[in-house]
Amino acid sequence: MRTGRALQGAPGTYRSAIRAHRDDRRGRNGRGRVRALRWAAASLTLLTVLGHTVLGFESPWSAPVAGVLTGTVAELVLEAVDAWAGRRPVRYLGVPRDRVADFLLPSYVCGLLCAMLLYGSGHATPVVVPAVLIGVGSRYVLRVRASGRPLLNPVATGVAVVLLLLPRAAPAPPHQFTAWVSGPFDVIVPSAVLAAGAVHAVLAGRVPLLLGWTGGFAAQALVRGWLTDVPALAALLPMTGAAFALYACHVVADPATSPVPARRQVRTGLATAAVYGLLAHSHVVSAMFLAPVVVCAGRALWPVLLARAGRAAATSPNGRVSRSPDPPVREPAGTPPGGPP
C-alpha cells in the first residue's frame, strides 16, 4: 500500500525508474558503462593468462604487466594534474576502494589491449609502453569540453601512432591466439572471444555499432573484390579470427568514444568500415587502427564545420550579418489612408 501511495503521490517515479533501467541496458548512464568495463577487464585478464600459458601469445609476460602498470600510473598522474589545473577534487581520493578500482578500469583495459594487439619483434615492452601512454594521454588532452568525454579512441590512437612512428612495431599476428592449439580449438577460441566480446557490447549498449561494423566490413571486402585485384575471400578472411572479434568488440565498440543512439551507432560502424577499406586499398599497415581514429576525429569536427557554415551563410558578402526585413507597421483602426493628420 505504501508503495502504491508513493507512486500515486509521485507520478513520474515509476516512469523514471523504467527509463533509468532502459538507459542502463543501453549504456547511457554510468552503471551500464561500469558493468561493461568490469566485464571487459575480467575477460581480457583471463584471455591474457590463457594466451601466455595455453594459446601461444608471441609477446613476453612483461608486455601486459608493463602495459597495465604504465596505464595505471599515467591515469593517476594525469588525473592529479588535471584536477590541480581545473581546481577541482581528485576523483580517486576520498572515495571507496571499489570506486577507485572502477576509475582505473579504462587504463587497465587499455594496457591489456595494447599488449595483445602489438608485436615488437621480441621487444614488446618498448612498443607497448608508448602506445599506452599515448592512449591514456589522449583521453585527457583531446576531449569534449562540456562533458569531459574523450574525442579519440584511446586504444586505436595509441596503437596507430606507435605503428606509424616506430619501425620495429607491427600488429600482433592473428595466429597467436591459436598457435599452441589445433583441431576444434581453431573454432572454439575465436567463438569464445566473440561471445565474451558480445557480452561486453550488450552491457555497453553498443550492439548496433558492432553490427554496423561487421556488416560494413563484409560490404567493403566484397566491393574491393569486385573493383580491385584483391580476392573477396581474402578480404573476408580476417573476420574468421579471434583478433578480429577482440578488435571489434573492445576497440570499435568503445562506449566512451561512440554515440548512444542506435542509428548513429550503425552509421559510425559503417563509416569505420568504409575508411578501413580505403586505407587498406592504399596499403596502409595501420589501417585497422587508423580507421576509428579518423572516424572519431570526423565526428568531433563535423559539428564545428556545420556551425561555421551556418555563420558563413548568415553573413552577407560584404562581411555584415544579414538581417531580415522589418515587419510592416500596422496602423490603428480608423486612420485615414494618408496617415494621421
Side-chain angles (χ1 to χ4, degrees), residues 46-266:
L46 179 61
L47 180 59
T48 300
V49 174
L50 293 178
H52 287 276
T53 57
V54 179
L55 302 180
F57 279 8
E58 297 283 347
S59 60
W61 270 103
S62 59
V65 174
V68 169
L69 291 179
T70 302
T72 303
V73 174
E75 187 81 36
L76 295 175
V77 173
L78 291 175
E79 168 61 21
V81 173
D82 186 68
W84 172 78
R87 297 181 179 180
R88 59 171 178 81
V90 180
R91 287 182 290 176
Y92 56 82
L93 295 181
V95 296
R97 294 181 180 179
D98 57 342
R99 295 188 60 184
V100 176
D102 293 339
F103 171 77
L104 295 175
L105 283 179
S107 58
Y108 179 85
V109 171
C110 180
L112 291 180
L113 286 174
C114 289
M116 277 188 280
L117 297 172
L118 279 173
Y119 177 70
S121 301
H123 304 278
T125 303
V127 172
V128 172
V129 170
V132 177
L133 287 176
I134 294 171
V136 176
S138 67
R139 296 176 51 242
Y140 285 88
V141 177
L142 302 173
R143 58 186 177 181
V144 182
R145 182 179 300 179
S147 61
R149 294 172 64 91
L151 291 178
L152 303 180
N153 190 303
V155 178
T157 302
V159 175
V161 172
V162 166
L163 291 176
L164 291 175
L165 298 182
L166 298 183
R168 68 169 60 182
H175 65 80
Q176 73 171 359
F177 291 91
T178 55
W180 294 350
V181 296
S182 60
F185 290 98
D186 292 337
V187 179
I188 294 175
V189 173
S191 301
V193 174
L194 178 60
V199 173
H200 170 260
V202 171
L203 293 176
R206 296 303 184 269
V207 175
L209 177 60
L210 192 60
L211 296 177
W213 158 252
T214 53
F217 189 91
Q220 65 84 27
L222 296 177
V223 171
R224 290 171 57 200
W226 179 40
L227 298 178
T228 64
D229 296 334
V230 178
L233 292 179
L236 289 170
L237 189 61
M239 300 183 68
T240 61
F244 183 87
L246 182 71
Y247 168 83
C249 298
H250 294 283
V251 179
V252 176
D254 178 29
T257 56
S258 56
V260 174
R263 293 183 178 179
R264 293 177 59 187
Q265 289 187 36
V266 174

Side-chain angles (χ1 to χ4, degrees), residues 10-32:
T13 303
Y14 181 74
R15 294 181 179 178
S16 300
I18 295 297
R19 188 181 301 110
H21 176 69
R22 187 186 303 115
D23 292 345
D24 186 18
R25 292 182 60 187
R26 295 178 179 177
R28 292 185 178 181
N29 53 23
R31 290 182 301 172

